[in-house]
Amino acid sequence: MRRTKASQPLKSKIEVPWDTTGVINNADSQVTIPLDQISLPPTQPRRYFDSEALKQLTESIKQHGILQPLLVRPLDGEKHELVAGERRYRAALSIGLKVVPVVIRELDDNAAFKFALIENLLREDLNPVEETEGILQLLSLKLGRSVEEIPPLLYRLQRLQNKASTVTHNVMGAHESEGDEPTHNVMGGVESESTNNVIGLDESDIELSTHNVMGETETDDSALNQEPAVNPDLKIVEGVFDGLGLMTWASFVKNRLPLLNLPEDILDALREGSLEYTKAKAIAQIPKLNERVEFLEQAIANNWSLSEIRQRISEKKAAVSTENTESNDYKERFTAATTKLRKSRIWSDPKKRKQIEKLLAQLETLTNVE
């Protein structure tokens, strides 16, 4: 997924800790340290890097140097651990830089991992699988739950929101129709009821009746106007997606979570950036692993378009369907023939019975060969 400049790191609504614009002489100021004093963390949210994009970054650093400092946190002694900026770190290593600009921050393990996630999620070249997995990890940290608990939680929030929307729609519809009904019924009642019945009520009865009707109306209106309680988990989820500015949480649930159900071979191709998301979904329709892997390799090698992929899959399905139809047709013909044979009088004819014996012998020979 390619992003516009509006969603780049320094334009995001999420605080970017490595942005040192306007910061002078404080703990977050940019300093220069030897590259060999920086080590990679044991767990990194990003696993794949676009080799072509890394090559372009390397050339840019050769010409202009590292324009955006790396974010690191101090370890024991003079050592530092990289928090954000692994692509710049790799490029610096490849061209043999001795020193690099950094921002040093005191961060615990949780905060360091969160910042690394945010930095990766705001990168332009992040593939959809790692982006989806990264968002789940970020939600996991924000909600204080395991990553495995996040998808069921999101689906549950989606169901609750859909249910609330349906209930609101029904209540509003019922309220409008009820608003018409009482007027019609009351007016109709006044016209059809005798005047004597109305006169028979004394003033206290009328006052009491009016009070009850008014009381019911006020109670109903206050119930309808009451704001529904905000789910605390939903508030956190919405805050994360608003901050990232990539998509809404509802869009993520609908379009991104199903991605993780794709076969592992398809997910690997997506992580490596060798296949687009739309093509991956189309190829995943091939059920047999060996056929799918072969098709996937051909699609990547020949750079088939999405329309080509769909057409070839459609042709493959049609060929299999024809083959199955022909196979079923033979079976049906054989079943019909044997049914007729059992009911036929052919068994009383010695010559025809010998022909049947020969045919049976041939069939037995065929089945023995298999």
Side-chain angles (χ1 to χ4, degrees), residues 11-14 234-249:
K11 300 291 183 180
S12 171
K13 297 178 187 176
I14 286 182
L234 178 59
K235 193 171 182 181
I236 294 172
V237 169
E238 287 177 336
V240 169
F241 282 92
D242 287 346
L244 289 173
L246 302 175
M247 65 193 85
T248 64
W249 77 271

Side-chain angles (χ1 to χ4, degrees), residues 40-51:
L40 291 175
T43 56
Q44 267 290 82
R46 190 166 189 178
R47 287 169 285 179
Y48 294 91
F49 292 87
D50 186 329
S51 57

Side-chain angles (χ1 to χ4, degrees), residues 10 12 39 88-89 96 138 168 175 199 275 321 346 351:
L10 302 186
S12 171
S39 60
R88 280 160 280 153
Y89 173 81
L138 185 57
T168 303
H175 187 56
I199 294 173
L275 192 69
S321 177
I346 197 172
K351 289 183 179 180

Side-chain angles (χ1 to χ4, degrees), residues 176-191:
E176 287 171 7
S177 62
E178 286 168 7
D180 295 337
E181 255 185 281
T183 306
H184 173 74
N185 291 341
V186 170
M187 291 297 291
V190 171
E191 290 174 5

